[in-house]
Amino acid sequence: MKELKKNPIIFVPGLMGSFGGEMLLGRGPWTFGVANLIYKPLIKGLEDMGYRRDENLFICYYDWRKSIEDIVEEYFKPLLLEVRKKFPQQPLDVICHSMGGIVARGYLQREGKEGEIERLIMLGTPNKGAVYAYYFWSTGRLIKTKSLNGYIYRGYIWLLSKILNIPMGADHIEDLHNAFPAMKSLLPSSDYGDFLFYHDEYKKPVPISRRYIKYHNHYLDQLNDSYKGLFNITKEVYSIAGTEFETKEGLILDRKKLALGQEYIIDFVYTLEGDGTVTQGSAELNYSSNINIISNHHNIVKDSLPELGKIYGVELDADTPDLATLHIIFSGDLHFLLETEEEFVMDYSKNRIITNKYYIQQFHDSDYTWLAIVEPPKGEYLLKFKSFKQQSCKMLILGDGLEEDIEEMIEVVEGYHDGDKSIFFTLRKDQ
């Protein structure tokens, strides 16, 4: 192993990996929020290498709703300049997850100075975009995936739609585009390859010419057209991609509606060369050190630790287990009990939580709360409302073991309610 050279590190989390600050959804100081479940193992690994937060390890939190250009200008660039001022004689390293890699490239390829960055390490970055982003941009809805990053995406989009009063779906697509411009920067780029298809008479996918594609990612096209400049700025570039997870790499459109100029998605094209969100081909960048590991899109953060160890010349283990989670997101001031047939899980009220489970609680604008419970027991659940102090309560339940997300609207006729209202659901072991 080579001797560890401890450059200061800036870590840039991915889409929906920041919470707090001046964000519409956040309250209080910047954190990873629920995404701490994804990023905690990486931060611990870097701390095991001798790094310390706010000393030589810096987190670039950002408002992920904004455009990449705004994120670069308002969050990444100021932090980089601050770190460079603190370490004027040392180059920096930048480690990024998912969209964080596009943020870093957005600065480095347009404003970066030769020698200021020694290593750029991207984990699951969609360097050529992702069809999941195109699905949202075209339909106004998210593809549902049974994974931690999928739950986080759906939870935040649900919150945004409620707080901004923008219903999901194609009927409100322009409002969704305006509320969430960052997603456009993740659409498949021109060098992604074919990603829109229709079925021929034999049900085989036929590529659709790009001139008929409705939405284009000019920002990523420009970055990828000039990507060689990245290697003039950065001494070492690594792209770590996850593979062997079923990943949607293409979208099937309705042929009849396509003839009328309409994009109506009816099916998907799949590959196992991906992490469940980003294809291996999209993550790879020519002339960089491309590394493939067996991992999905959220676990790639912790599963990349051995590869990071090789890059830095130290031993790092990815020994953190994959954790099941249950997410309960709701409006208002509630008191409820959560239990299975066999055990008590949680007694929740706004100022008091009784449980023996590890959980994350975060508060949002418009009096919304997000509870993420780690390793909840499997089985039949009863969520029993004891009281709530408003006329209605909106609630979303999602997580490992649920067959479908549960969305409920609880109505109350008058003010404070001591009720017998309950929600029943099941967390299955095989889901």
Side-chain angles (χ1 to χ4, degrees), residues 401-418:
L402 277 177
E403 288 189 354
E404 296 288 341
D405 298 349
I406 299 170
E407 185 170 1
E408 293 280 350
M409 167 71 87
I410 309 298
E411 299 282 358
V412 183
V413 177
E414 295 183 3
Y416 188 90
H417 175 76
D418 288 309

Side-chain angles (χ1 to χ4, degrees), residues 143-160:
I143 297 173
K144 291 186 177 181
T145 59
K146 294 183 181 297
S147 63
L148 179 54
N149 60 284
Y151 306 140
I152 291 174
Y153 294 167
R154 297 205 296 281
Y156 274 124
I157 292 295
W158 184 81
L159 279 167
L160 274 172

Side-chain angles (χ1 to χ4, degrees), residues 294-308:
I294 299 173
S295 187
N296 64 21
H297 193 63
H298 69 271
N299 280 333
I300 196 171
V301 176
K302 70 177 181 65
D303 292 341
S304 293
L305 284 170
E307 297 300 330
L308 288 175

Side-chain angles (χ1 to χ4, degrees), residues 32 43 47 51-59 61:
F32 292 126
I43 299 304
E47 288 174 343
Y51 282 90
R52 295 294 177 265
R53 290 178 67 160
D54 299 323
E55 293 181 14
N56 55 2
L57 171 60
F58 305 89
I59 314 298
Y61 299 111

Side-chain angles (χ1 to χ4, degrees), residues 89-268:
Q89 305 302 320
Q90 278 187 268
L92 314 179
D93 292 351
V94 180
I95 302 176
C96 323
H97 176 231
S98 194
M99 190 175 86
I102 306 300
V103 172
R105 288 181 59 195
Y107 170 81
L108 294 174
Q109 288 183 230
R110 296 188 170 190
E111 301 184 59
K113 296 178 175 59
E114 184 175 354
E116 72 177 343
I117 302 297
E118 181 161 348
R119 301 180 184 93
L120 172 64
I121 305 171
M122 297 175 286
L123 315 176
T125 291
N127 285 304
K128 301 180 185 71
V131 299
Y132 290 79
Y134 197 94
Y135 185 92
F136 174 81
W137 206 251
S138 179
T139 68
R141 300 186 183 279
L142 289 173
I143 297 173
K144 291 186 177 181
T145 59
K146 294 183 181 297
S147 63
L148 179 54
N149 60 284
Y151 306 140
I152 291 174
Y153 294 167
R154 297 205 296 281
Y156 274 124
I157 292 295
W158 184 81
L159 279 167
L160 274 172
S161 72
K162 301 304 180 189
I163 293 173
L164 297 176
N165 195 28
I166 304 175
M168 304 296 291
D171 291 342
H172 303 273
I173 201 71
E174 188 173 339
D175 291 334
L176 289 167
H177 288 178
N178 291 333
F180 200 10
M183 191 68 86
K184 188 176 183 181
S185 301
L186 301 178
L187 303 182
S189 59
S190 296
D191 53 353
Y192 180 94
D194 296 321
F195 71 94
L196 291 185
F197 304 84
Y198 65 85
H199 277 149
D200 65 13
E201 60 269 30
Y202 304 105
K203 294 294 183 181
K204 292 183 178 179
V206 178
I208 296 171
S209 171
R210 282 196 168 264
R211 68 176 179 270
Y212 298 117
I213 293 176
K214 190 172 183 179
Y215 302 110
H216 298 269
N217 189 344
H218 299 300
Y219 183 82
L220 201 50
D221 285 344
Q222 292 172 5
L223 284 186
N224 289 348
D225 285 345
S226 61
Y227 77 92
K228 290 183 181 178
L230 183 64
F231 300 91
N232 297 326
I233 304 299
T234 307
K235 184 177 178 181
E236 302 174 24
V237 179
Y238 301 87
S239 178
I240 302 179
T243 190
E244 296 195 22
F245 281 79
E246 186 177 78
T247 305
K248 295 173 177 66
E249 65 173 348
L251 305 172
I252 305 290
L253 303 187
D254 183 285
R255 188 174 182 178
K256 292 181 180 179
K257 285 183 167 48
L258 181 63
L260 300 174
Q262 301 173 14
E263 282 189 354
Y264 187 78
I265 299 168
I266 59 173
D267 206 349
F268 306 100

